[in-house]
Short mmCIF file of all heavy atoms in Angstrom, two decimals:
data_model
loop_
_atom_site.label_atom_id
_atom_site.label_comp_id
_atom_site.label_asym_id
_atom_site.label_seq_id
_atom_site.Cartn_x
_atom_site.Cartn_y
_atom_site.Cartn_z
N SER V 34 8.55 11.03 -12.86
CA SER V 34 7.92 9.77 -13.06
C SER V 34 8.91 8.63 -12.77
O SER V 34 10.13 8.83 -12.84
CB SER V 34 7.42 9.65 -14.48
OG SER V 34 8.50 9.54 -15.35
N TYR V 35 8.44 7.48 -12.35
CA TYR V 35 9.30 6.34 -12.07
C TYR V 35 8.65 5.06 -12.46
O TYR V 35 7.44 4.96 -12.56
CB TYR V 35 9.83 6.34 -10.59
CG TYR V 35 8.68 6.36 -9.64
CD1 TYR V 35 8.09 5.19 -9.13
CD2 TYR V 35 8.21 7.49 -9.07
CE1 TYR V 35 7.07 5.14 -8.23
CE2 TYR V 35 7.20 7.57 -8.09
CZ TYR V 35 6.66 6.34 -7.70
OH TYR V 35 5.71 6.37 -6.81
N CYS V 36 9.48 4.06 -12.67
CA CYS V 36 9.04 2.75 -13.14
C CYS V 36 9.26 1.76 -12.09
O CYS V 36 10.24 1.81 -11.40
CB CYS V 36 9.71 2.42 -14.45
SG CYS V 36 9.21 3.44 -15.83
N MET V 37 8.38 0.78 -11.93
CA MET V 37 8.53 -0.31 -10.95
C MET V 37 8.21 -1.56 -11.53
O MET V 37 7.56 -1.67 -12.56
CB MET V 37 7.62 0.03 -9.73
CG MET V 37 7.91 1.33 -9.12
SD MET V 37 6.70 1.78 -7.85
CE MET V 37 7.10 0.60 -6.59
N ALA V 38 8.62 -2.68 -10.86
CA ALA V 38 8.18 -4.01 -11.30
C ALA V 38 8.27 -4.94 -10.14
O ALA V 38 9.00 -4.73 -9.19
CB ALA V 38 9.21 -4.39 -12.41
N TRP V 39 7.59 -6.05 -10.27
CA TRP V 39 7.63 -7.16 -9.35
C TRP V 39 8.33 -8.31 -10.09
O TRP V 39 8.02 -8.66 -11.28
CB TRP V 39 6.27 -7.62 -8.91
CG TRP V 39 5.62 -6.74 -7.88
CD1 TRP V 39 4.75 -5.65 -8.09
CD2 TRP V 39 5.87 -6.77 -6.50
NE1 TRP V 39 4.43 -5.19 -6.85
CE2 TRP V 39 5.12 -5.80 -5.78
CE3 TRP V 39 6.71 -7.59 -5.64
CZ2 TRP V 39 5.09 -5.55 -4.51
CZ3 TRP V 39 6.75 -7.32 -4.28
CH2 TRP V 39 5.91 -6.34 -3.77
N PHE V 40 9.23 -8.93 -9.32
CA PHE V 40 9.95 -10.16 -9.79
C PHE V 40 9.72 -11.24 -8.78
O PHE V 40 9.41 -10.88 -7.64
CB PHE V 40 11.42 -9.87 -10.00
CG PHE V 40 11.76 -8.95 -11.07
CD1 PHE V 40 11.69 -7.50 -10.88
CD2 PHE V 40 12.25 -9.37 -12.31
CE1 PHE V 40 12.01 -6.71 -11.96
CE2 PHE V 40 12.53 -8.57 -13.25
CZ PHE V 40 12.44 -7.14 -13.14
N ARG V 41 9.99 -12.47 -9.21
CA ARG V 41 9.98 -13.51 -8.23
C ARG V 41 11.05 -14.53 -8.62
O ARG V 41 11.47 -14.69 -9.76
CB ARG V 41 8.56 -14.25 -8.17
CG ARG V 41 8.17 -14.89 -9.43
CD ARG V 41 6.75 -15.48 -9.24
NE ARG V 41 6.31 -16.18 -10.39
CZ ARG V 41 5.07 -16.63 -10.57
NH1 ARG V 41 4.16 -16.50 -9.56
NH2 ARG V 41 4.67 -17.28 -11.67
N GLN V 42 11.47 -15.28 -7.55
CA GLN V 42 12.60 -16.23 -7.89
C GLN V 42 12.34 -17.46 -7.00
O GLN V 42 12.15 -17.33 -5.74
CB GLN V 42 13.93 -15.57 -7.53
CG GLN V 42 15.08 -16.55 -8.01
CD GLN V 42 16.46 -15.86 -8.04
OE1 GLN V 42 16.57 -14.80 -7.41
NE2 GLN V 42 17.35 -16.34 -8.79
N VAL V 43 12.51 -18.59 -7.65
CA VAL V 43 12.42 -19.92 -6.91
C VAL V 43 13.88 -20.38 -6.79
O VAL V 43 14.71 -20.25 -7.76
CB VAL V 43 11.63 -20.91 -7.71
CG1 VAL V 43 11.61 -22.27 -7.00
CG2 VAL V 43 10.13 -20.39 -7.77
N PRO V 44 14.29 -20.95 -5.67
CA PRO V 44 15.68 -21.44 -5.63
C PRO V 44 16.02 -22.39 -6.76
O PRO V 44 15.26 -23.31 -7.06
CB PRO V 44 15.65 -22.20 -4.22
CG PRO V 44 14.61 -21.46 -3.42
CD PRO V 44 13.57 -21.12 -4.41
N GLY V 45 17.20 -22.10 -7.28
CA GLY V 45 17.65 -22.92 -8.38
C GLY V 45 17.11 -22.47 -9.75
O GLY V 45 17.56 -23.05 -10.78
N LYS V 46 16.30 -21.45 -9.78
CA LYS V 46 15.80 -20.95 -11.01
C LYS V 46 16.12 -19.47 -11.18
O LYS V 46 16.43 -18.81 -10.20
CB LYS V 46 14.30 -21.20 -11.14
CG LYS V 46 13.83 -22.62 -11.25
CD LYS V 46 12.38 -22.72 -11.48
CE LYS V 46 11.98 -24.16 -11.65
NZ LYS V 46 10.48 -24.30 -11.90
N GLU V 47 16.06 -18.93 -12.48
CA GLU V 47 16.37 -17.56 -12.62
C GLU V 47 15.19 -16.69 -12.14
O GLU V 47 14.04 -17.19 -12.15
CB GLU V 47 16.55 -17.35 -14.15
CG GLU V 47 17.88 -17.92 -14.69
CD GLU V 47 18.13 -17.41 -16.08
OE1 GLU V 47 17.39 -16.61 -16.61
OE2 GLU V 47 19.19 -17.88 -16.66
N ARG V 48 15.53 -15.52 -11.82
CA ARG V 48 14.50 -14.55 -11.40
C ARG V 48 13.62 -14.26 -12.62
O ARG V 48 14.14 -14.03 -13.76
CB ARG V 48 15.08 -13.34 -10.88
CG ARG V 48 14.19 -12.27 -10.33
CD ARG V 48 14.95 -11.11 -9.68
NE ARG V 48 15.85 -10.50 -10.57
CZ ARG V 48 16.89 -9.78 -10.19
NH1 ARG V 48 17.12 -9.62 -8.88
NH2 ARG V 48 17.72 -9.16 -11.04
N GLU V 49 12.36 -14.13 -12.43
CA GLU V 49 11.45 -13.85 -13.48
C GLU V 49 10.63 -12.60 -13.20
O GLU V 49 10.12 -12.40 -12.07
CB GLU V 49 10.51 -14.96 -13.87
CG GLU V 49 9.59 -15.40 -12.73
CD GLU V 49 8.52 -16.42 -13.25
OE1 GLU V 49 8.31 -16.62 -14.40
OE2 GLU V 49 7.92 -17.04 -12.29
N GLY V 50 10.44 -11.72 -14.16
CA GLY V 50 9.63 -10.56 -14.01
C GLY V 50 8.12 -10.96 -14.17
O GLY V 50 7.80 -11.72 -15.12
N ILE V 51 7.31 -10.52 -13.35
CA ILE V 51 5.91 -10.88 -13.46
C ILE V 51 4.95 -9.71 -13.72
O ILE V 51 3.87 -9.80 -14.28
CB ILE V 51 5.40 -11.59 -12.15
CG1 ILE V 51 5.61 -10.79 -10.86
CG2 ILE V 51 6.10 -12.96 -12.03
CD1 ILE V 51 5.02 -11.42 -9.62
N VAL V 52 5.34 -8.47 -13.37
CA VAL V 52 4.51 -7.30 -13.72
C VAL V 52 5.36 -6.02 -13.69
O VAL V 52 6.24 -5.88 -12.87
CB VAL V 52 3.27 -7.20 -12.85
CG1 VAL V 52 3.77 -6.96 -11.39
CG2 VAL V 52 2.39 -6.02 -13.18
N GLY V 53 5.09 -5.17 -14.71
CA GLY V 53 5.78 -3.89 -14.74
C GLY V 53 4.77 -2.80 -14.61
O GLY V 53 3.60 -2.97 -15.07
#
Side-chain angles (χ1 to χ4, degrees):
S34 66
Y35 56 88
C36 291
M37 302 174 70
W39 281 99
F40 292 80
R41 65 184 181 186
Q42 187 169 22
V43 177
K46 294 188 177 181
E47 289 190 2
R48 183 174 59 200
E49 63 171 343
I51 56 174
V52 61

